[in-house]
């Protein structure tokens, strides 16, 4: 009767139910509990897999929806923050500085469901962001540096984040940007793995946009050169006529 009641509860999806059989039935009790634990593990793995698959699919929609890098950076950041329930974050692009060197520019910042208008730039190796860009390796910390810049909220005041994740966006061994997420609680391994996994997808999209922008600039230069040539030809024709 106890086994039947236990099996009915498990069949109804109650995987936290327990069973205590009479003395002498320890082997049966152990086997039943192991069965329950295996079912619980399978259900959890399926839930995690579904959570990841849905996240990748929705991120794909975001990546296809925006053709401008600034808009894309903002919407990617908002999606990732809500996906892992983080409080604030920033999105960075790797761009060439006026000196001709690679630099890090903050393209988007979001905190406590509000867009923040900030302009920050880092050099490679400068701060945690610069360190991640230099080493091309993600950093996850639960001890926030005392000089870390964070935002305050009217609801929670000036509470410092409990965890910080910075992930480089790499495709074909090239660094195109970084994502920085700060949470009021420690991120789960599943959430950290998800951010790391989608990094190459985001990086490839940034690369494609860079190619499109470069192609657009070249076409614009060609059009201007064509117009200039037409003007020169028209002027030459007038000169020849006058001569």
């Amino acid at each position: 009767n106890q086994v039947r009641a236990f099996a009915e509860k498990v069949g109804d999806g109650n995987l936290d139910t327990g069973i205590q059989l009479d003395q002498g039935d320890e082997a049966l009790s152990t086997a039943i509990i192991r069965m329950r634990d295996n079912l619980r593990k399978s259900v959890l793995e399926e839930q995690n897999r579904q959570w990841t698959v849905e996240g990748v699919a929705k991120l794909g929609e975001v990546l296809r929806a925006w053709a401008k890098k600034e808009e894309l950076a903002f919407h990617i950041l908002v999606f990732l923050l809500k996906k892992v329930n983080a409080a604030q974050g920033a999105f960075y692009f790797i761009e060439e500085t006026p000196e001709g060197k690679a630099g890090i520019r903050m393209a988007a910042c979001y905190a406590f469901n509000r867009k923040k208008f900030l302009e920050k730039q880092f050099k490679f190796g400068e701060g945690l962001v610069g360190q991640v860009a230099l080493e091309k390796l993600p950093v996850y910390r639960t001890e926030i540096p005392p000089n870390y810049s964070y935002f305050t909220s009217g609801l929670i005041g000036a509470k410092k984040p409990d965890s910080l994740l910075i992930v480089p966006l790499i495709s074909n061994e090239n660094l195109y940007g970084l994502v920085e997420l700060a949470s009021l609680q420690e991120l789960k391994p599943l959430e950290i793995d998800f951010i790391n996994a989608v990094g190459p997808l985001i990086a490839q999209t940034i690369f494609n946009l860079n190619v499109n922008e470069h192609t657009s600039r070249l076409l614009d230069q060609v059009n201007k050169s064509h117009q200039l040539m037409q003007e020169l030809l028209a002027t030459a024709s007038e000169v020849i006529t006058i001569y």
Side-chain angles (χ1 to χ4, degrees), residues 174-189:
N174 294 319
L175 178 67
Y176 295 99
L178 303 102
V179 172
E180 175 185 6
L181 305 176
S183 177
L184 297 179
Q185 63 270 343
E186 293 188 13
L187 294 176
K188 301 175 183 177

Side-chain angles (χ1 to χ4, degrees), residues 78-143:
V78 173
F79 169 79
L80 294 179
L81 286 171
K82 293 182 177 180
K83 184 65 176 177
V84 301
N85 195 29
Q88 71 176 59
F91 195 103
Y92 303 90
F93 284 130
I94 305 300
E95 296 180 343
E96 185 175 337
T97 63
E99 294 78 17
K101 299 181 179 180
I104 307 168
R105 179 180 66 87
M106 179 186 289
C109 184
Y110 195 79
F112 300 106
N113 299 320
R114 290 188 178 183
K115 184 177 182 179
K116 303 296 180 180
F117 297 90
L118 296 178
E119 293 184 3
K120 286 187 178 182
Q121 294 184 351
F122 297 90
K123 298 179 181 178
F124 276 63
E126 179 184 0
L128 286 177
V129 173
Q131 176 184 343
V132 173
L134 183 64
E135 299 178 356
K136 294 184 179 180
L137 294 173
V139 167
Y140 176 68
R141 299 186 59 169
T142 55
E143 295 181 3

Side-chain angles (χ1 to χ4, degrees), residues 12 20 39 66 72 78 100 103 105 113 118 123 158 162 165 184 222 226 231:
D12 291 337
Q20 184 65 42
L39 286 173
W66 307 95
L72 178 67
V78 173
R105 179 180 66 87
N113 299 320
L118 296 178
K123 298 179 181 178
D162 290 332
L165 176 65
L184 297 179
V222 169
H226 181 71
E231 294 175 359

